[in-house]
Amino acid sequence: MDEFQHPLFFEARDVTDREREKIRRHFLKKRDSGGGECGAVEKIGGNIYKISFKEKEDQERVLQRKFHTISLPSGELHLTVSRTDSPQNPDQPSTSQSFQTRKQANKKSFKKIFKLDIYLLYYLRGNLRANKILRKQLSCIDCTVDFNLEEEEAVVRGDINKGSGDAFGSAAENWEIQVDRVFIGLIERYQSYHVVDPKSARILLQDLSFVTDDLKVYTEGGYAVVVGEVEAVNKRIAILEKSVPTRKELPIVEKQFKLVEEEFNRHMTAHCPEVKIHKGNATIILEGLDKDVQQAAIKLDELIKKIKEKRVKISTALLTFIKSSNAISKYQARFQQNLRNPVSLEVGSDLVLSSLSPDALDEAEAALHRDLIVANVELQGAAAVRPDFDRVKEIMIKAKNEANCRELRVDVSFIPGRSGTTKVRLVGYNENVNKLKEVLHEYQINQVETQEVLNLPLPELVDSFDKVLKMIGMKQTNVTLKASHFPSPCVLVSGPRCLVQETQRNLNATLASLTSDKLVLDGPGAQLYFQAEGKVSKELVEDSCHVLIREQQGVNSPIVKSSITSSVTPTPAPRTLQTSPRSISVNRTSLEIKLGSLVDEQVNVLVVPMLSSQPTSTRIGNCLLKRAGSALKSNFDSMAATCTLAPGDVLQVDAPSSLGCSKLFFIECLPWDGVRGQSVQALSNGLKRCLDLCVQQHLVCSVAFTVIGPGILLKFPLREAIQVLTESIGQFGLTASSGSLSSIHIVIKPDYPDSEQCYHDVYKQLSIHMNQGGQAIFRSLRSDVDDITMTLSSGVKLQLVFGDITNETTDVIVNTTNFRNFQKDGVCKDILTVAGPEVVAELKAAIVNRGQSFASHPGYFPCEAILHVNGHKDAGIIEQLVCDVIEYCETSELESVAIPAICAGAGGLDPGVVASAILRGVKTATSTTSLNFLTDIHLVLIKINVFLAFKEEAMQMFSTAVINRVSVPQLPQVQQKQQQPPSSVSSGTLHTTSTSNQSVFLFLGLSRKDVDDAMTKLKELYQAQCSAQTFKKEELAGLTADDMEDLKQLVKTQGLCMQMDQSGQGSLTVSGLKDGVNQVMQMINVFLQGSLRREMRVRKEEDLYTRVAWCILGHNGNWQRLPKTANHNLENKDVAGGIEDAQGIKWRVDLQKFEATRIMGFVTAKLKRLVNLSDFTFPLYWDNMADDENLKVVVLQPSSQEYRTVKEAFKRTVSKTVMKIERLQNVHLRRAYEVQKKNLSDKNKQEGGAGEKLLYHGTTEDNCDSIMKTGFNRRFAGQNATSYGLGTYFAVKASYSASPTYSRPAFDGTQLMFVARVLTGLYTQGTSSMKVPPPRNALQSDDRYDSVVNRINNPSMYVVFHDNQAYPDYLITFK
């Protein structure tokens, strides 16, 4: 690698990779080889290897030793290193590679030369002991040694003749081996250690203790060499290394060292004074004895680790200010000087303080919080908008520049807020921020444009305020005065604050000095006159008398109330130019808004949305399946398998017993695709279908919906989903009949974020649909959050109100506040916004102790006083505050108080805890104190969950109180009826109020005399324009109720008075302005002329109605007869203007296709014309028959609703295939049946009537024709069984009659069954011997039951004994 630049070479046999690594580790160890950091061993060719060192010094030390012995698994390896890669002398013995040798031999002697380290030669020559040992070892093998220092070699000589061996060669070889062994031992025993480092060499030479008899030190070229026995040399070198001064570089963060520098220097002075400390670039350099340097490094590391950090949470604005100013260096210098330990500051996402001392960190943090602040000042009034806003910016920037002339001390920014408001943000040092706040405050007080509200005593002054100012002589100033009706009659006073306040005071005083009075004139026509032709005259009165005249609302309204009494005489004449108003049938259904979960509702039917025929696709479906389990899943799957659902279709599923309903209606929905998309149409169709099914299935009394659509799956906007639901319910309310459906529940979950909005929107929309044209559509509208009034034992009325406290008009309003933050959203902000700034200022200045209340004046709030309280999130304090509020009302002789849910909103207390505390306070205060003045306590609750918590707690706590729930009142109900023709009204049937409507004028003047004069003049002007006309009873006899309504409207429009004669003569007097009285006379004449035309039209309609019946096919598959007017128009082909059905729905007609198209909604329906027989009126579902036709069999089309209805009822209990369904039209049988039906209805009028039911009767092919022609004949009783009497048997379920016993199959396997209309009337248990039903009373044998059954409870079989008591309506052929 490039970093290893200093190579050495050696020769060796082939070595393995593992052995190479051991060689490398040898040269890494300085003690073993003199080396240091080195690279890998590389083979460069042959037996030559290279190893490279990083440092030059390491290379030199290895080279100085030259000979190296390394222990390998295969044995010891002796290496000789050199600077070059030239191979070693080939004559050198392979047995020794630790030194170079050269030998010379002859027949008698042997000489061998060993190349040794020069300093080892010096040592062997100079050390007597070492010299003696060497020579002794050599003498043992008959050798001598000489040291040649110049050639750096030892010369060994020996006598071969004295050596061992059989021949010359073997003796010489043996001798040489022995000599080599001696020198190898010499090399291993002694060591020459080169001390290259100058400092170490200097210490070595100066310390005489290093030199002993067996240890020598030699010098040469600035370095020293220590020679001696290996153990002694190593021991001395270890001592030397410890004595050499050490230099250590430590990386360190400068800011951290500054924090510990003082403490570190103290420690070094005390414990390591000789160690020198130098600062480098991001380093600390320590120089000294090794142990001292190591100790110093450890101490420094300990101090660094003791540094503590503290994150100071401050605003982003302050962080920006600190970064942009020199605050960091300033505070660090200040903390260095004033604190025991230095503190550093670092600004990132937070402000981070660092120091050795926690106390210093706390003091630094306190200083920063004390010195640096952020202040936000909201600009008020005109100061927040141009041009005043520009002036504010100019002033503030100038003040900022003055403060920052030497250094950045404060910064100013302008932050736009909501609704056009602007805040001035001041950031910097406390003293400078406060100075700028004073500058801004002074400007706003004296210079800023502001607006105040001055309430007017009368609303009439608003529109004529300019005239009021002119009348009182108000001078022009820089203040703008603008009258307004919102939020109440007032004047907006705008301008500089100081001038606005002065103007407001002067205007208040002037308005209070004016004189006012009212002039009341009979009839509203006076106002109409003075608004039109009499306007100039009125203005002349104002100018001449120096007054202001304004109209006010009349005292009583309306002036005429007409009603139709029993003396109305019906006449057949209809109106010719307009149709009679339709009569809206009252739906018997009540609407209820429930708060909770749809799954928990106890109703007959739950309506559930789904997507792609998957019941678990919606949250509601999932909840139902979790509650009902596999039973519901199985029921759903079995029903879904039989049909394919399109969007808007409804799947009926039987509900398991674990749910509180009997059926589930699943609507197939689509995700939201816009207002005009298919999703809205699909949902609307599904909802309508569900309601229609509830009516068709007569046992359904109640159904529950949720607001379908606004979830995460369908994604309807909430308002759109509510509109679809409420419109569907509203359209259902307009239908003629609601069947047995008595209750519709709309369920809202109370714990959703938009629950309140959802409730209010649903309630509002349903309220709109509660009536149509003044007629009641539904019986009532109730909800779980209807106001509840409880009359307590003390007589005080406690009312729970779901709503906004700012809508209350009680004498006292309670405001919940913390007396600090008045702009936080909640009750406090809402109340103070209405009350105005003066109340806010009063509240800010108040000093209120814990648990006390503070009473302020109401400001603009419509009450006598506002009580401000702080519940401190403590139930005990809240309870006591409520007691104090009630006591205040009583002692102040105030009658009513409104209290919010204290601490339940922004306070965060549990609503149940707050409800319990407040109601306990009410109970304690009303039961322990005699209340003579306080009569009404309103608890006003704006959140649904809070209202429910109060409701639950109140019901338990005041269980004995008289409770009244306030809901949408039930509107007057109208009896169901067909359209009736207009009726003429006799003069005695019109009732009028005794007090007529009046015109009221307000007079405002500077003096009492001016007002009185003006009132007299205006009254005289009006009386000169009036007249009166009296109409006799005979003239009014031909007027209908509609005529009287039109007459009443004209009287109202013209501002006339209409008075009935009370003497009994029946005359009617109309008085007022002359022109209006003349118009009344003309109208009555027109009405009398139209009376004759109407009588003729009514007679024609009624005559036609008995002969011809025009019908329209309803959406439920039933034919509905059209009203008489539509019947007449269709018969006479007068349909250009369309027709109107019994529900008031208008249709366009195509007589060629016998179709009608709904004008609103484009729904098409079939039309049918029935011509009745002279003595028989056809049922509406029959087809026409000829006069001589007695029996007609009509095969129903499978696509018709009539076919599907009959088939569905049959298939509920029979699985066989329906082949054909025929309607049987037998005039004689049906006529007799209807007569019998009338008889039973009259007989059982008080006990359920005729009891008509659709039942089943199995038959055979032989008997079928006879029954169709002559009806059911009880004389054939006994053909199958007579278990309950000798009569005709009918089954409730088709499955019973489908048995082959009763419906015997024909040769082709088909069976026959009649669907019969059966008059069951009053029934009892039958027996086999009965020929007629038994008497109901033993004392009255002629009063018998109408039929008998197999069992009284839930009968499945009916038996009748009168042939006309059953009619064969349909014949089903099945197989």
Side-chain angles (χ1 to χ4, degrees), residues 715-786:
K715 300 180 181 179
F716 274 56
L718 179 61
R719 292 188 182 277
E720 296 297 335
I722 291 173
Q723 185 171 351
V724 174
L725 175 62
T726 53
E727 282 186 355
S728 298
I729 294 174
Q731 290 175 10
F732 168 76
L734 294 173
T735 59
S737 173
S738 60
S740 60
L741 185 60
S742 60
S743 180
I744 298 177
H745 293 187
I746 297 89
V747 184
I748 299 172
K749 286 202 68 114
D751 51 357
Y752 280 8
D754 55 3
S755 295
E756 280 76 23
Q757 177 192 346
C758 183
Y759 168 83
H760 288 300
D761 287 350
V762 169
Y763 197 94
K764 176 182 177 182
Q765 293 297 325
L766 291 179
S767 299
I768 293 173
H769 291 295
M770 277 298 293
N771 64 85
Q772 181 77 17
Q775 305 283 353
I777 301 302
F778 295 99
R779 189 174 296 276
S780 62
L781 171 60
R782 298 189 298 270
S783 83
D784 286 348
V785 289
D786 288 338

Side-chain angles (χ1 to χ4, degrees), residues 56 63 98 225 233 313 391 428 589 701 735 747 786 802 876 930 961 1043 1096 1162 1220 1280:
K56 177 72 173 175
L63 194 60
S98 60
V225 181
V233 170
K313 293 289 186 181
R391 176 61 177 157
T589 309
C701 298
T735 59
V747 184
D786 288 338
F802 177 60
S930 177
D1043 294 339
M1096 293 299 298
F1162 304 102
K1220 180 172 60 174
N1280 293 314

Side-chain angles (χ1 to χ4, degrees), residues 499-700:
L499 295 178
V500 164
Q501 293 175 348
E502 179 184 358
T503 302
Q504 192 176 16
R505 287 193 299 269
N506 294 338
L507 196 56
N508 261 327
T510 304
L511 290 176
S513 66
L514 295 177
T515 299
S516 64
D517 204 345
K518 292 181 181 179
L519 172 64
V520 180
L521 299 175
D522 289 339
Q527 288 189 355
L528 298 176
Y529 171 72
F530 286 115
Q531 289 170 359
E533 57 265 29
K535 182 178 180 180
V536 175
S537 301
K538 187 191 73 169
E539 291 174 350
L540 290 173
V541 172
E542 286 179 318
D543 293 340
S544 62
C545 298
H546 303 291
V547 297
L548 181 68
I549 305 174
R550 282 294 171 266
E551 297 87 359
Q552 286 190 327
Q553 292 294 328
V555 177
N556 296 298
S557 178
I559 58 170
V560 178
K561 294 182 180 179
S562 61
S563 62
I564 307 301
T565 67
S566 57
S567 60
V568 174
T569 304
T571 63
R575 298 173 67 91
T576 56
L577 299 179
Q578 67 182 75
T579 59
S580 303
R582 70 182 180 94
S583 174
I584 301 175
S585 302
V586 178
N587 197 308
R588 294 181 297 167
T589 309
S590 297
L591 304 180
E592 295 186 38
I593 303 176
K594 310 289 286 185
L595 299 173
S597 173
L598 185 72
V599 180
D600 298 325
E601 283 298 297
Q602 301 293 317
V603 292
N604 296 120
V605 174
L606 294 181
V607 177
V608 186
M610 67 177 177
L611 193 64
S612 303
S613 300
Q614 295 296 321
T616 57
S617 58
T618 62
R619 187 185 292 115
I620 301 170
N622 270 314
C623 293
L624 286 168
L625 282 172
K626 286 180 182 178
R627 173 74 63 87
S630 58
L632 175 57
K633 182 71 166 60
S634 176
N635 292 352
F636 181 94
D637 290 343
S638 63
M639 294 301 296
T642 63
C643 60
T644 301
L645 297 176
D649 287 349
V650 177
L651 182 68
Q652 302 181 58
V653 178
D654 291 332
S657 57
S658 55
L659 296 177
C661 62
S662 58
K663 280 188 177 295
L664 295 165
F665 290 171
F666 286 88
I667 301 178
E668 180 66 21
C669 297
L670 289 173
W672 172 255
D673 59 355
V675 177
R676 295 178 177 85
Q678 296 181 2
S679 58
V680 172
Q681 189 63 45
L683 179 57
S684 178
N685 291 341
L687 293 170
K688 293 173 185 175
R689 177 63 178 154
C690 288
L691 291 167
D692 290 342
L693 288 172
C694 290
V695 174
Q696 294 169 16
Q697 299 179 10
H698 300 293
L699 297 179
V700 175

Side-chain angles (χ1 to χ4, degrees), residues 1164-1184:
T1164 301
K1166 291 289 184 182
L1167 295 175
K1168 178 169 67 173
R1169 177 179 181 271
L1170 287 177
V1171 180
N1172 296 323
L1173 302 178
S1174 59
D1175 59 346
F1176 180 71
T1177 301
F1178 289 127
L1180 295 182
Y1181 63 94
W1182 278 23
D1183 290 352
N1184 277 314

Side-chain angles (χ1 to χ4, degrees), residues 983-1056:
S983 305
S984 62
V985 184
S986 65
S987 59
T989 63
L990 183 67
H991 299 280
T992 60
T993 54
S994 57
T995 306
S996 64
N997 196 18
Q998 297 170 326
S999 294
V1000 182
F1001 295 89
L1002 173 69
F1003 288 74
L1004 191 69
L1006 298 175
S1007 68
R1008 178 77 256 175
K1009 183 178 183 303
D1010 291 343
V1011 171
D1012 290 343
D1013 290 347
M1015 291 171 65
T1016 301
K1017 291 181 179 180
L1018 195 73
K1019 183 177 181 180
E1020 292 173 349
L1021 284 172
Y1022 175 66
Q1023 290 176 344
Q1025 300 297 321
C1026 293
S1027 68
Q1029 179 67 40
T1030 300
F1031 301 92
K1032 297 180 180 180
K1033 179 179 180 180
E1034 293 77 13
E1035 295 178 277
L1036 303 175
L1039 271 60
T1040 67
D1042 290 332
D1043 294 339
M1044 292 307 301
E1045 285 297 321
D1046 292 344
L1047 182 61
K1048 182 174 68 174
Q1049 185 61 39
L1050 178 61
V1051 168
K1052 182 178 180 181
T1053 303
Q1054 295 296 321
L1056 306 176

Side-chain angles (χ1 to χ4, degrees), residues 278-540:
H278 305 283
K279 294 182 183 178
N281 184 19
T283 60
I284 294 295
I285 304 170
L286 303 176
E287 291 184 351
L289 294 178
D290 183 70
K291 64 175 183 178
D292 292 342
V293 169
Q294 297 300 329
Q295 181 184 359
I298 292 171
K299 182 62 179 179
L300 182 59
D301 184 61
E302 289 177 353
L303 289 175
I304 294 296
K305 290 179 178 179
K306 287 183 179 180
I307 294 175
K308 296 176 175 57
E309 285 189 354
K310 187 167 191 177
R311 293 185 176 274
V312 181
K313 293 289 186 181
I314 59 177
S315 67
T316 305
L318 267 180
L319 286 174
T320 304
F321 175 79
I322 292 172
K323 289 178 184 177
S324 58
S325 66
N326 66 340
I328 293 179
S329 58
K330 178 179 177 180
Y331 275 103
Q332 286 188 161
R334 173 179 164 185
F335 295 155
Q336 182 82 25
Q337 181 178 3
N338 297 337
L339 301 181
R340 178 177 178 182
N341 292 90
V343 178
S344 72
L345 291 81
E346 185 177 1
V347 178
S349 58
D350 293 324
L351 177 62
V352 181
L353 305 180
S354 303
S355 178
L356 284 173
S357 169
D359 294 337
L361 289 176
D362 292 340
E363 292 179 24
E365 181 184 14
L368 289 169
H369 283 309
R370 185 172 57 250
D371 294 351
L372 300 173
I373 63 170
V374 176
N376 292 315
V377 182
E378 184 171 346
L379 295 179
Q380 300 178 358
V385 297
R386 299 178 187 276
D388 282 12
F389 176 66
D390 295 335
R391 176 61 177 157
V392 171
K393 287 183 68 174
E394 180 183 345
I395 292 172
M396 295 305 295
I397 292 173
K398 180 180 178 181
K400 180 191 78 170
N401 293 338
E402 291 175 356
N404 296 336
C405 60
R406 295 183 179 179
E407 61 174 341
L408 181 59
R409 302 285 299 175
V410 65
D411 195 16
V412 180
S413 58
F414 300 87
I415 304 171
R418 296 178 179 176
S419 304
T421 60
T422 302
K423 289 183 179 179
V424 180
R425 174 169 290 172
L426 306 174
V427 186
Y429 294 99
N430 197 328
E431 58 178 321
N432 301 97
V433 169
N434 288 333
K435 286 181 180 179
L436 263 67
K437 283 174 67 177
E438 291 176 4
V439 171
L440 185 59
H441 179 69
E442 182 180 355
Y443 176 83
Q444 292 204 106
I445 289 297
N446 298 316
Q447 302 297 327
V448 72
E449 290 285 327
T450 187
Q451 185 179 82
E452 298 290 342
V453 179
L454 172 67
N455 286 335
L456 292 174
L458 299 169
E460 292 80 5
L461 297 181
V462 173
D463 297 328
S464 55
F465 191 71
D466 290 340
K467 293 185 178 180
V468 173
L469 293 177
K470 181 179 179 181
M471 184 176 66
I472 63 178
M474 192 75 179
K475 296 181 180 179
Q476 291 289 334
T477 65
N478 290 333
V479 175
T480 302
L481 302 175
K482 182 179 179 182
S484 173
H485 288 284
F486 182 81
S488 59
C490 62
V491 176
L492 303 179
V493 187
S494 306
R497 183 183 295 273
C498 52
L499 295 178
V500 164
Q501 293 175 348
E502 179 184 358
T503 302
Q504 192 176 16
R505 287 193 299 269
N506 294 338
L507 196 56
N508 261 327
T510 304
L511 290 176
S513 66
L514 295 177
T515 299
S516 64
D517 204 345
K518 292 181 181 179
L519 172 64
V520 180
L521 299 175
D522 289 339
Q527 288 189 355
L528 298 176
Y529 171 72
F530 286 115
Q531 289 170 359
E533 57 265 29
K535 182 178 180 180
V536 175
S537 301
K538 187 191 73 169
E539 291 174 350
L540 290 173

Side-chain angles (χ1 to χ4, degrees), residues 1284 1324-1326 1348-1352 1354-1359:
Y1284 307 106
T1324 187
Q1325 178 71 43
V1348 298
V1349 295
N1350 60 334
R1351 56 177 176 267
I1352 296 297
N1354 194 21
S1356 62
M1357 184 73 65
Y1358 289 85
V1359 184

